Amino acid sequence: MAENPIIVEILEKLNHFIKRKGLRRTPQRDEIVALIFSKDEHFTADELYDRVRKNNSSASRATLYRTLGLLEEAGLLHEIDLGGDQKTYDPNFVDSPSHNHLICIDCGKVVEFEDDNIEILNDCITRRMGFRPAKQSIRIEACCETLRSKGVCQDLIQARLASKKIHKK
Amino acid sequence: MAENPIIVEILEKLNHFIKRKGLRRTPQRDEIVALIFSKDEHFTADELYDRVRKNNSSASRATLYRTLGLLEEAGLLHEIDLGGDQKTYDPNFVDSPSHNHLICIDCGKVVEFEDDNIEILNDCITRRMGFRPAKQSIRIEACCETLRSKGVCQDLIQARLASKKIHKK
DNA sequence: GTTATTGCAAATGATTTGCACAAGG
DNA sequence: CCTTGTGCAAATCATTTGCAATAAC
């Protein structure tokens, strides 16, 4: 896991940030970072804590929340709005700094996408309103066309199966 | 206040919704609805409760939260993502069903805007990904150009004054 | 050594909920 | 009447925080 090039890259960036702020590198933080960036999946603090426990990491919930805050501050992790009650984090902004999210109403699947045209258009609109663009996020809710036309959507089936697995705590 | 045409319109729609669901009309709900739609400002549950109290409405916090849920379910009120820890509600979707939000990083001011081009472009992108568009929201964070060029921004000054007023509870 | 970090448990704070009473229809 | 709505106070539950012990550097 530690030899994963993405994780190595993130750890380097984080440690650079940490040094600049006079903070310290710790194994707990490194473990959490490795877990976050070993997948490209979105996650909640709770889901991440599950992975922490399954990987026999010693990190506590408190450290996990503190590390999430640090990563956000360093710009390595973004909070995204998937509309749930828990905050959702997206680890993919290091690779794709300006991607957006489409959320399937039918199955809940989240599709990431980038589009230069939208990017440029938003930029123009922002300037016309007298502002200097800093960050933009587009969130699209949509229905699965496959489901509608063929009556079946593999993602929906998986989502239903997954929902049976959900048992909090 | 009750003679405000917008409020009358909303109340009509809500009562239609209420009847369809076999629910009942109550003065508390009417009061809360009137307060929400008498301004076009975004608000949190807490801010709304302040207004409820100042207007000598008898509605309790519980009823307020229950009414917010009802209005959302009826599609008359939308939750928007302004990035705070409390949920923010936007009462302007009845008048402008597809508007978006620009949030000024400098002063926190929120500007609503609509743009057909973006609307159409997002629609195309969504279809190309195999989905049927349902809802889209764009959230832009930007810096105030007036502040940058003239060194002053009236909104920023107001925001700083307002922040001094914040005393929870 | 000095100061940041950790884990724990307790605190916080927005939102939700159970329940007994009130009140629409 | 019968059922839904309300207010209250208590419960939830994700997240934050104080503190004493621990570990970077």
Side-chain angles (χ1 to χ4, degrees):
Chain A
M1 176 171 291
E3 62 280 358
N4 181 328
I6 294 165
I7 295 174
V8 172
E9 182 196 338
I10 302 275
L11 279 176
E12 254 167 38
K13 285 183 178 166
L14 179 61
N15 290 324
H16 188 252
F17 178 81
I18 277 178
K19 270 194 190 126
R20 236 186 321 121
K21 297 209 44 160
L23 308 179
R24 291 167 192 177
R25 183 172 186 173
T26 71
Q28 285 93 334
R29 286 213 268 248
D30 281 8
E31 284 164 13
I32 291 170
V33 168
L35 281 174
I36 290 175
F37 294 97
S38 63
K39 294 189 185 187
D40 62 359
E41 278 174 29
H42 306 146
F43 60 90
T44 62
D46 240 45
E47 286 162 3
L48 179 57
Y49 189 59
D50 273 352
R51 291 166 65 190
V52 164
R53 291 235 301 264
K54 284 195 189 103
N55 277 263
N56 301 312
S57 166
S58 60
S60 68
R61 261 210 163 76
T63 298
L64 183 151
Y65 277 108
R66 286 189 275 235
T67 303
L68 287 175
L70 196 66
L71 285 167
E72 271 213 274
E73 202 191 327
L76 298 169
L77 185 66
H78 287 214
E79 198 184 314
I80 56 170
D81 173 32
L82 293 189
D85 39 350
Q86 285 167 270
K87 289 178 184 166
T88 308
Y89 298 90
D90 183 338
N92 303 329
F93 281 91
V94 175
D95 286 329
S96 319
S98 59
H99 69 266
N100 298 292
H101 296 94
L102 181 150
I103 299 139
C104 179
I105 290 174
D106 297 316
C107 67
K109 189 187 179 191
V110 178
V111 180
E112 301 194 341
F113 68 93
E114 284 185 84
D115 187 282
D116 287 345
N117 298 306
I118 277 203
E119 203 84 2
I120 292 164
L121 192 49
N122 277 3
D123 194 286
C124 293
I125 291 168
T126 304
R127 288 178 199 282
R128 198 168 58 177
M129 289 192 287
F131 291 88
R132 178 195 300 267
K135 196 167 129 185
Q136 55 175 252
S137 63
I138 299 169
R139 186 177 175 284
I140 294 176
E141 283 175 36
C143 309
C144 175
E145 199 54 69
T146 312
L147 176 66
R148 210 127 322 232
S149 57
K150 303 196 178 159
V152 186
C153 161
Q154 199 53 41
D155 292 325
L156 178 56
I157 294 167
Q158 283 175 6
R160 288 201 174 139
L161 288 174
S163 71
K164 288 184 187 161
K165 281 191 241 160
I166 295 171
H167 296 294
K168 287 277 303 182
K169 280 274 146 79
Chain B
M1 176 170 289
E3 62 280 358
N4 181 328
I6 294 165
I7 295 174
V8 172
E9 181 196 338
I10 301 275
L11 279 177
E12 255 167 38
K13 285 184 178 166
L14 180 60
N15 290 324
H16 188 253
F17 178 81
I18 276 177
K19 269 193 192 129
R20 238 188 317 122
K21 296 207 47 159
L23 306 180
R24 291 167 193 177
R25 184 172 185 173
T26 71
Q28 286 92 335
R29 286 212 269 246
D30 280 9
E31 285 162 15
I32 292 171
V33 168
L35 281 174
I36 290 176
F37 294 97
S38 63
K39 293 190 186 185
D40 62 359
E41 277 174 28
H42 305 145
F43 61 89
T44 62
D46 240 45
E47 286 162 4
L48 179 57
Y49 189 58
D50 274 351
R51 292 166 65 192
V52 164
R53 292 233 302 263
K54 283 193 190 105
N55 276 264
N56 301 313
S57 166
S58 61
S60 67
R61 261 209 163 77
T63 298
L64 183 151
Y65 277 109
R66 287 188 274 234
T67 303
L68 287 175
L70 196 66
L71 285 167
E72 271 212 274
E73 202 189 326
L76 298 169
L77 185 66
H78 286 213
E79 199 184 314
I80 56 170
D81 173 33
L82 293 188
D85 39 351
Q86 284 168 271
K87 289 177 184 167
T88 308
Y89 297 90
D90 183 337
N92 303 330
F93 281 91
V94 175
D95 286 330
S96 319
S98 58
H99 69 266
N100 298 292
H101 297 94
L102 181 150
I103 299 139
C104 179
I105 290 174
D106 297 316
C107 67
K109 189 187 179 190
V110 178
V111 180
E112 300 193 342
F113 68 94
E114 285 185 81
D115 188 281
D116 288 344
N117 299 306
I118 276 201
E119 202 86 0
I120 293 164
L121 192 47
N122 277 3
D123 195 284
C124 294
I125 291 168
T126 304
R127 288 177 198 282
R128 197 167 58 177
M129 289 191 286
F131 291 88
R132 178 194 301 266
K135 197 167 131 187
Q136 55 175 253
S137 63
I138 299 169
R139 187 177 175 285
I140 293 176
E141 283 176 38
C143 309
C144 175
E145 199 55 67
T146 311
L147 177 66
R148 211 129 319 233
S149 57
K150 303 196 178 157
V152 186
C153 162
Q154 199 53 42
D155 292 325
L156 178 57
I157 292 166
Q158 284 175 6
R160 288 201 175 138
L161 289 174
S163 72
K164 287 183 188 162
K165 281 191 242 158
I166 294 173
H167 295 294
K168 286 278 302 184
K169 280 273 147 80

